[in-house]
């Protein structure tokens, strides 16, 4: 079916409404009158598969050089989808990446242009120092703590310095992605308040001062964080007439353009001006990642160019009942009570009868075991939590061990210090180096000796008194008898290794990263099962190198950067899954998925059974407006003087929530189980409009809701 419509700018474009196979044939035929093709479809309608298929077809059948094709997608999870089976017989460059990865590469290649144009950069180096998320958060937290203590800033703010730092980093990122000048951040946030006065204004002036100090300090030393990467690329590199990297792009493919920020959209439409063909894949129910700059209103303003539209009417990962359920939930969330009712056979079940959260968790574990006993494969079950839930994670891992299966957690890894194979590296680093500000506890040494010498914690604690500032001391004969000859031998080997390292340290002072490498390869490598933790070690090493390099350039006074890293690791430091680990997890049939709604929807995952937890938690619809940040206020297509009302906040929150619900239901093949509890993890009574809507909707059938007090 082809329809012609008039746009408000009087441009015309064709619209094809078709199924997946027809769309695939039409894209391969490629006889469009416009060079920009917009492929629209809801979640799980086949857009990503069409995009990857078209990419393969361009190279293998149309003989387009891979270096002339640019593919942009969302994140590292989608990178796996785009990389899988993409092996071509070509010597050309493969240009597939997320927008951020593309920006980093371009800044590295053309950094001298940026240095020449940006007068704030005072150091002439060949490449920028890309700061890690952990390092920049640490730096901002230290800066906020200094201003609060020395200058009395943020006195009326109840948040911790860590939370204020997080808000300020978020503001920088959102402003850069939305093309908003940094010096407008405080003014926009202040103007958005429903109540404001002189004292509040002073707080936002302080916010601007700390923010600009942080930005200036980083740029001065050639350090670039996440937000500054976009700022430098868009304001300096993209404006340089010598920058020609994007001029040879003949074909552009963008997956999930609905999640693109205005900064990315500007690049996309600049490239479209010069390409032979552009394929943009768009979910009209998307725009979920507003926190990361997604702005569908901005996109609609850019789509006034001539383009051909293909609308996909297929859905592959759910049945019609779930689509109907999604529509009814959406209507009721917007107070549109239609006569439509859900099909009595829709396989959605809700249990809100748990008073305590522990009851809810146990019911979820029992349901998982029941599903597996029915013959379901672990990979077909996805448990979707609105927050990083350590209790469900713990209980699920325990249950998985019982059932001889595994768990694929897509969130950040555990803290480095909690890993029994990494903790000894931290202790060894303190024993081998003169870190004046680091004081390990008796618990640290007890666990260290117990693990390294393979003795129980009681005997391990006996060795604590033999640790001094100068290192490990000789054991008394009494202690030797109590711990045993084998442990004594291992202790003396450790003692000798530490002494030799200190002697060599006088002649050659290596980095902390080099120390970790040496200690792991010479000391820990002898331990059983240590090879299973090599990826964890690499994560620690990489985190260490990036963190210290950044802090060294920022020239923090007082403690050394190495001591600050040890301090960070002993606190909140935790790892991220690298690409190899993610790919390995996604290929496992024996793993249940434990994830968040956003990760599930932005990683091309789907499942036969979804289990939603804590549906009456407000974390399903988190607020955008915080004490010192608001992603909606920092949008370039929003009037900087407009007030941000509670009504607008509620509309935005529920708009995103309904998009999430729609997309989740379209990725549920067989069954949906929904759980909640009267009291939260913290013990507070909780209520939720979202939970009320689900209860009311599903209870209409009379059977599929657990009949309890609620």
């Amino acid at each position: 079916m082809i329809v012609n419509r008039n746009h408000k700018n009087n441009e015309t474009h064709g619209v094809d409404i078709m199924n997946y196979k027809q769309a695939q044939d039409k894209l391969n035929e490629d006889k469009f009158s416009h060079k920009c093709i917009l492929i629209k479809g809801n979640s799980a309608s086949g857009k990503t598969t069409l995009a990857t298929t078209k990419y393969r077809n361009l190279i293998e059948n149309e003989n387009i050089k891979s270096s002339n094709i640019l593919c942009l997608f969302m994140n590292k999870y989608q990178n796996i989808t785009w990389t899988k089976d993409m092996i071509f017989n070509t010597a050309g460059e493969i240009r597939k990446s997320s927008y951020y990865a593309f920006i980093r590469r371009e800044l590295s290649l053309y950094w001298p242009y940026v240095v020449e144009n940006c007068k704030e950069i005072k150091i002439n180096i060949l490449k920028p120092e890309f700061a890690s998320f952990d390092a920049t958060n640490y730096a901002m937290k230290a800066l906020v703590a200094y201003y609060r203590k020395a200058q009395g800033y943020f006195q009326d703010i109840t948040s911790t310095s860590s939370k204020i730092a997080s808000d300020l980093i978020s503001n920088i990122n959102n402003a850069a992605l939305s093309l908003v000048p940094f010096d407008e951040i405080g003014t926009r946030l202040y103007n958005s308040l429903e109540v404001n006065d002189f004292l509040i204004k002073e707080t936002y002036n302080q916010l601007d001062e700390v923010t600009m100090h942080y930005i200036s300090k980083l740029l001065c030393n050639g350090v670039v964080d996440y937000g500054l990467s976009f700022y430098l690329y868009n304001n300096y590199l993209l404006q340089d007439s010598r920058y020609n990297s994007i001029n040879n792009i003949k074909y552009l493919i963008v997956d999930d353009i609905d999640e693109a920020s205005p900064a990315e959209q500007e690049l996309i439409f600049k490239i479209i001006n010069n390409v032979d063909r552009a394929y943009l894949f768009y979910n009209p129910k998307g725009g979920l990642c507003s926190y990361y700059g997604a702005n569908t209103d901005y996109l609609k303003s850019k789509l006034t160019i001539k383009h051909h539209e293909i609308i996909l009417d297929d859905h592959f990962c759910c049945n019609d009942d779930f689509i109907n359920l999604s529509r009814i939930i959406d209507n009721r969330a917007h107070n549109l009570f239609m006569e439509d009712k859900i099909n009595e056979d829709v396989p959605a079940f809700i249990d809100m009868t748990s008073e305590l959260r522990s009851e809810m968790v146990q019911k979820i574990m029992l349901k998982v075991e029941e599903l597996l006993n029915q013959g379901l494969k672990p990979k077909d079950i996805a448990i979707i939590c609105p927050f990083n839930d350590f209790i469900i994670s713990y209980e699920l891992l325990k249950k998985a061990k019982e059932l001889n299966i595994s768990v694929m957690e897509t969130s950040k890894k555990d803290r480095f210090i909690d890993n029994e194979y990494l903790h000894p590296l931290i202790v060894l680093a303190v024993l081998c180096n003169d870190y004046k500000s680091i004081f390990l506890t008796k618990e640290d040494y007890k666990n260290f000796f117990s693990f390294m010498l393979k003795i129980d914690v009681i005997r391990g604690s006996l060795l604590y008194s033999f640790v001094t500032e100068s290192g490990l001391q000789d054991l008394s004969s009494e202690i030797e008898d109590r711990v045993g000859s084998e442990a004594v031998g291992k202790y003396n080997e450790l003692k000798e290794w530490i002494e030799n390292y200190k002697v060599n340290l006088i002649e050659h002072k290596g980095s902390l990263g080099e120390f970790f490498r040496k200690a792991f390869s010479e000391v820990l490598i002898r331990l059983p099962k240590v090879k299973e933790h090599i990826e964890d070690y690499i994560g620690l090493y990489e985190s260490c190198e990036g963190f210290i390099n950044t802090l060294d350039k920022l020239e923090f006074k007082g403690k050394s950067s190495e001591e600050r890293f040890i301090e960070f690791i002993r606190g909140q430091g935790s790892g991220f899954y690298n690409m190899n680990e993610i790919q390995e997890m996604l290929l496992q049939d024996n793993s249940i998925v434990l994830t968040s709604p956003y990760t599930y929807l932005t990683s091309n995952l789907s499942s036969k059974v979804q289990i939603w937890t804590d549906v009456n938690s407000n974390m399903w619809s988190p607020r955008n407006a915080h004490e010192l940040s608001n992603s909606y206020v920092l949008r370039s297509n929003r009037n900087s003087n407009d007030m941000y009302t509670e009504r607008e906040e509620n509309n935005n929150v529920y708009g995103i929530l309904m998009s999430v619900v729609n997309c989740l239901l379209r990725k549920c093949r067989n069954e949906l189980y929904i759980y909640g509890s009267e009291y939260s993890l913290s013990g507070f009574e909780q209520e939720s409009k979202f939970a009320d809507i689900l209860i009311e909707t599903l209870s209409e059938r009379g059977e599929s809701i657990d009949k309890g007090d609620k």
Side-chain angles (χ1 to χ4, degrees), residues 97-271:
S97 70
S98 67
Y99 175 55
Y100 177 54
F102 174 82
I103 294 297
R104 280 189 57 143
R105 178 182 178 280
E106 298 301 286
L107 287 175
S108 296
L109 288 173
Y110 298 93
W111 185 244
Y113 293 173
V114 178
V115 173
E116 185 180 326
N117 294 326
C118 180
K119 304 308 177 189
E120 295 171 274
I121 301 173
K122 307 299 182 184
I123 183 171
N124 191 9
I125 51 179
L126 291 177
K127 290 184 178 181
E129 176 68 43
F130 288 105
S132 69
F133 172 82
D134 288 331
T136 52
N137 260 36
Y138 182 95
M140 182 64 91
K141 178 184 173 182
L143 190 62
V144 168
Y146 166 79
Y147 271 95
R148 294 185 96 173
K149 184 177 180 179
Q151 307 288 342
Y153 282 15
F154 306 121
Q155 288 187 358
D156 297 327
I157 302 300
T158 59
S159 297
T160 63
S161 294
S162 180
K163 180 62 175 70
I164 293 173
S166 177
D167 279 351
L168 267 55
I169 293 288
S170 173
N171 289 338
I172 292 170
N173 295 342
N174 278 303
L177 286 165
S178 295
L179 304 174
V180 169
F182 292 137
D183 57 10
E184 287 186 18
I185 292 174
T187 301
R188 281 174 170 264
L189 291 171
Y190 174 74
N191 290 344
S192 73
L193 300 177
E194 293 191 74
V195 178
N196 45 38
D197 57 32
F198 173 76
L199 292 176
I200 297 175
K201 176 65 174 173
E202 186 62 23
T203 295
Y204 286 93
N205 288 338
Q206 293 166 3
L207 178 149
D208 275 338
E209 183 180 343
V210 175
T211 299
M212 297 312 293
H213 181 108
Y214 167 87
I215 291 170
S216 176
K217 187 72 173 175
L218 261 65
L219 290 180
C220 178
N221 291 281
V223 178
V224 179
D225 70 358
Y226 183 77
L228 290 179
S229 298
F230 306 118
Y231 165 75
L232 292 173
Y233 180 80
N234 284 286
N235 287 277
Y236 297 102
L237 187 53
L238 198 56
Q239 310 305 321
D240 194 309
S241 59
R242 297 168 294 178
Y243 174 58
N244 58 11
S245 176
I246 60 176
N247 295 347
N248 67 338
I249 298 170
K250 301 301 180 186
Y251 289 83
L252 174 67
I253 300 175
V254 183
D255 200 6
D256 292 304
I257 194 173
D258 47 284
E259 302 298 343
S261 65
E264 182 176 1
Q265 291 174 39
E266 286 298 325
L267 171 65
I268 288 167
F269 286 95
K270 184 180 178 72
I271 292 173

Side-chain angles (χ1 to χ4, degrees), residues 352 357 360 382-387 389 595-598 600-601 610-623 652-662 664-665 672-676 686 688-691 694:
M352 303 294 291
R357 193 171 183 278
M360 181 201 75
I383 300 178
I384 300 172
C385 306
F387 51 88
D389 194 326
T595 187
S596 69
Y598 291 92
Y600 186 79
L601 294 175
Q610 289 180 16
I611 298 175
W612 298 358
T613 77
D614 296 279
V615 291
N616 45 358
S617 165
N618 287 327
M619 290 304 293
W620 273 93
S621 50
R623 290 180 62 83
N652 288 333
V653 163
Y654 269 90
I656 293 292
L657 175 59
M658 289 305 105
S659 292
V660 168
V661 169
N662 173 274
L664 283 175
L665 289 174
L672 170 66
Y673 296 91
I674 302 170
Y675 293 90
Q686 52 188 4
S688 162
K689 178 183 174 183
F690 176 45
L694 290 173

Side-chain angles (χ1 to χ4, degrees), residues 96 98 209 215 279 299 312 382 388 453 501 551 569 579 609:
K96 302 187 277 86
S98 67
E209 183 180 343
I215 291 170
Y279 307 92
L299 176 61
L312 298 170
N388 193 2
L453 309 184
Y501 181 85
L551 293 197
I569 286 297
M579 286 301 299
V609 173

Side-chain angles (χ1 to χ4, degrees), residues 475-637:
L475 299 178
S476 67
S477 57
E478 179 188 354
I479 295 299
E480 287 184 348
D481 290 340
R482 293 186 65 179
V483 299
S485 58
E486 186 177 347
V488 170
K490 292 177 180 177
Y491 176 90
N492 288 330
E493 287 178 5
L494 272 176
K495 179 174 175 291
E496 183 181 0
W497 189 88
I498 292 168
E499 289 170 350
N500 289 336
Y501 181 85
K502 285 187 169 183
V503 170
N504 294 330
L505 192 61
I506 298 172
E507 300 176 3
H508 171 68
K509 175 66 174 91
S511 68
L512 182 58
E514 289 175 2
F515 171 82
F516 285 149
R517 186 164 56 240
K518 184 177 179 66
F520 186 86
S521 62
E522 295 180 5
V523 180
L524 265 71
I525 200 66
R526 305 171 190 172
L527 299 175
K529 297 184 179 180
V530 71
K531 292 181 180 179
E532 296 175 13
H533 296 268
I534 287 178
E535 295 287 358
D536 298 320
Y537 155 70
I538 292 172
L540 175 66
Y541 170 76
E542 290 179 346
S543 179
C544 167
E545 293 284 283
F547 190 100
I548 290 172
N549 287 344
T550 297
L551 293 197
D552 280 347
K553 282 192 165 55
L554 295 180
E555 301 171 332
F556 271 88
K557 295 179 181 178
K559 293 175 282 190
S560 70
S561 298
E562 291 187 359
E563 287 173 277
R564 291 179 186 277
F565 179 74
I566 297 291
E567 178 183 82
F568 163 75
I569 286 297
R570 295 186 70 214
Q572 71 273 32
S574 54
F576 291 90
Y577 291 116
N578 61 37
M579 286 301 299
N580 290 335
E581 289 177 298
I582 293 170
Q583 190 160 11
E584 188 175 317
M585 287 191 298
L586 290 176
L587 293 174
Q588 288 179 355
D589 288 346
N590 203 38
S591 293
I592 293 174
V593 175
L594 178 62
T595 187
S596 69
Y598 291 92
T599 302
Y600 186 79
L601 294 175
T602 58
S603 58
N604 292 325
L605 289 168
S606 65
S607 56
K608 289 183 178 179
V609 173
Q610 289 180 16
I611 298 175
W612 298 358
T613 77
D614 296 279
V615 291
N616 45 358
S617 165
N618 287 327
M619 290 304 293
W620 273 93
S621 50
R623 290 180 62 83
N624 302 295
H626 302 285
E627 265 195 305
L628 291 174
S629 67
N630 187 329
S631 59
Y632 278 88
V633 168
L634 298 179
R635 289 187 165 192
S636 56
N637 56 333

